[in-house]
Amino acid sequence: MLGMPAEDMNIYSSKDSKCPSCGGKLVFDPVGQLLKCGFCGNTYTPEKLELLNLLPEIDKGAAGEKEDDKCAIVCDNCGAELITDKNTSATCCSFCGSPAIITRRLTKQFRPDYLIPFKITKEEAKEKFIEFAREKKYVPHDYFNKSNLNNIQGIYVPFWIMSSRCKVSARGDGFKQRTVYKDKYTLMSDFDVKYNNVPFDGSLEIADGLMEAIEPFDISQRVEFNSSYLQGFYAQKFNLTSDNLCDRIILRMQEYGRETAAMSFSGYDSIKFGACGVKPYDLEHTYALYPVWFLNYRYDDKNYMIAVNGQTGKTDGYLPVDKTKRRMRLIGHRTVDALLVLLVIAIFLALLAALFYAGIKFILSGTGLFFLLVLLVCTPSIGMLLFMGMLNKKPNVEKIEPILEFLTRPVTKLSVKRHDSYIDLLNETSMVVGPRPSAETYYDSKAKIEFENLEIYSNPEI
């Protein structure tokens, strides 16, 4: 098994073992495999503690003179805070739809290192929202009302942008398909890779999955921050700390590590990596504002948020399911199932009736009466012989099963097909957001990368 070089191993000193939250001493808990603070009770993995030491402190100082023309709009319901110029007003919260908003003077710093300006206009965003919803089934009709679409708002969302080299150690399995069996291999990959400009939104009010689904943003179009870009828009102030970001960074880097490891192997029909250790270093961390159009749609007393990338137009979000549309489709599906069952029963009964009619006709003939007489005489003897044979020898189930499978195969196939179609129908109504961009989107192909891969044959599988 490949391991990290000795010079890359950390020796934790008393300084390293201080709790980031309260400064208390951290002690390693062998049961939970975590570092635990005996004072405040917070726990940290060694990887998270190491990453916290790399991330810079977030500036929470008072706003300067350059922010005098700005004000803060705060939702009294969910606590979301937006920054805008004094001439821009708001009637409802962009995130929860509540009208309980108040305006107050800007008191905290929100100035980013840079921003990406809006390129998609409000009218273009409306078209994106409509186009996205029309691709989905069971969307309520009033989603497309002008009064609903007029509620879209352009917001500069706070993002923490991370670029870092990572030492990755991943373990997984690879499969090569044969005629009947597939060969299983244990795969090991240790490498050093760099990921550039991976964004992590700094907002508690916005679902992380939603922001990842509308990535990527083209960072080559970034500009130095200028408050003029905020005219007519909102800019949300970050409310996440380094502590909040660490878990997300580690989880996402682990996923990218698995994807990158899989890319380094070839000749396999399928590859799945599980365990993955990631150690970031040479980390660069910046704060930026990215443009996003939001539509907060309320249906059945629930809020559904849809977002449009204000630079590229990529759209994703959470859409509700119209219960009436869904119920009608399910009724139609179940009606077809009932008709198919009745058809199978009708065919079976028709076969029984035909056999019964043919049997009666055969019995009433002269040959049939003679055959029936012989059968009545011989049945007790034949039955006794069969019974004695079964006592001495168990029935060959292996020979019977293929026959039963052949006879029931058409019905089984039809049943499986109908079940799969029903599952597909349910999945159509589960309107979840799309996946985040793959590792290739942020993988630095120009940076030096060193792979140490190992493939070990494990065993064949059916």
Side-chain angles (χ1 to χ4, degrees), residues 335-355:
T335 301
V336 172
D337 284 347
L339 291 174
L340 287 173
V341 170
L342 291 174
L343 178 63
V344 171
I345 293 174
I347 293 173
F348 180 72
L349 291 176
L351 287 173
L352 286 179
L355 290 172

Side-chain angles (χ1 to χ4, degrees), residues 210-360:
L210 176 58
M211 290 296 92
E212 292 176 356
I214 63 169
E215 291 179 22
F217 292 83
D218 184 0
I219 200 171
S220 67
Q221 297 181 4
R222 64 185 176 182
V223 298
E224 185 178 349
F225 176 75
N226 187 319
S227 60
S228 298
Y229 289 105
L230 301 185
Q231 296 295 120
F233 296 98
Y234 301 97
Q236 189 182 17
K237 191 176 72 176
F238 64 82
N239 49 17
L240 289 176
T241 63
S242 300
D243 186 52
N244 302 122
L245 292 171
C246 281
D247 290 333
R248 289 170 53 194
I249 291 174
I250 291 172
L251 287 174
R252 190 163 181 179
M253 291 302 102
Q254 285 176 339
E255 186 60 33
Y256 281 172
R258 294 185 186 97
E259 292 180 22
T260 306
M263 289 163 50
S264 66
F265 290 92
S266 60
Y268 290 91
D269 295 297
S270 63
I271 293 176
K272 184 178 181 180
F273 274 89
C276 182
V278 177
K279 178 185 176 183
Y281 70 99
D282 289 349
L283 186 144
E284 299 173 9
H285 194 254
T286 54
Y287 171 44
L289 296 178
Y290 283 178
V292 181
W293 287 102
F294 285 99
L295 175 60
N296 188 69
Y297 176 60
R298 191 165 184 81
Y299 179 79
D300 235 9
D301 293 327
K302 293 182 180 179
N303 287 311
Y304 296 86
M305 185 178 289
I306 307 97
V308 173
N309 185 315
Q311 180 193 37
T312 66
K314 188 177 180 182
T315 309
D316 215 317
Y318 303 95
L319 287 170
V321 174
D322 187 312
K323 294 179 180 178
T324 302
K325 287 184 179 181
R326 184 175 184 272
R327 194 177 296 114
M328 291 301 296
R329 182 69 185 276
L330 291 176
I331 289 174
H333 190 281
R334 288 311 189 195
T335 301
V336 172
D337 284 347
L339 291 174
L340 287 173
V341 170
L342 291 174
L343 178 63
V344 171
I345 293 174
I347 293 173
F348 180 72
L349 291 176
L351 287 173
L352 286 179
L355 290 172
F356 180 76
Y357 176 76
I360 294 297

